[in-house]
Amino acid sequence: MDTVKRQIEENGYALVRNFLSSDLLRDLESVFNSDEHGIRNLLSNPAIRRFAGCEEVRRPILPVLGRDCFAERGIFFNKNSKANWNVTWIRTV
């Protein structure tokens, strides 16, 4: 996971491929309705809170943020052919 820390320091982000198990992805997929295009306040959903706090999800970011890190906000965007909009990242300093 030192690679993640290095990527973030160099680029401001890191791509972590294949770090979630198939079981965890299936559990997460079952929470969402494919007809929904956007959901705010995801952390109000108990299943999403458990997902965000599980060791498998936290493992890649721990070297960067430390053991006391936690999910602050969750927003879901289901961009598809029926609902596609521009989502920009806003960088604050």
Side-chain angles (χ1 to χ4, degrees):
M1 290 302 144
D2 287 335
T3 303
V4 171
K5 185 174 182 177
R6 182 178 42 75
Q7 286 181 29
I8 290 174
E9 288 170 350
E10 291 175 4
N11 306 314
Y13 67 92
L15 299 177
V16 183
R17 300 185 191 281
N18 303 316
F19 77 98
L20 294 178
S21 68
S22 298
D23 291 339
L24 192 56
L25 287 172
R26 264 192 304 279
D27 290 346
L28 183 60
E29 186 178 43
S30 71
V31 172
F32 296 103
N33 175 341
S34 62
D35 293 332
E36 291 181 280
H37 303 300
I39 306 170
R40 295 185 186 277
N41 304 316
L42 284 181
L43 295 175
S44 65
N45 181 311
I48 298 297
R49 270 198 316 277
R50 280 192 305 277
F51 173 81
C54 80
E55 190 64 26
E56 193 172 347
V57 170
R58 292 170 44 86
R59 190 176 306 121
I61 201 63
L62 289 177
V64 179
L65 297 180
R67 296 226 42 96
D68 292 333
C69 69
F70 58 92
E72 173 67 26
R73 184 182 214 190
I75 300 173
F76 172 70
F77 295 104
N78 182 13
K79 294 178 72 162
N80 57 50
S81 60
K82 294 178 187 174
N84 192 9
W85 60 94
N86 185 28
V87 177
T88 58
W89 289 97
I90 299 172
R91 183 176 181 182
T92 60
V93 181

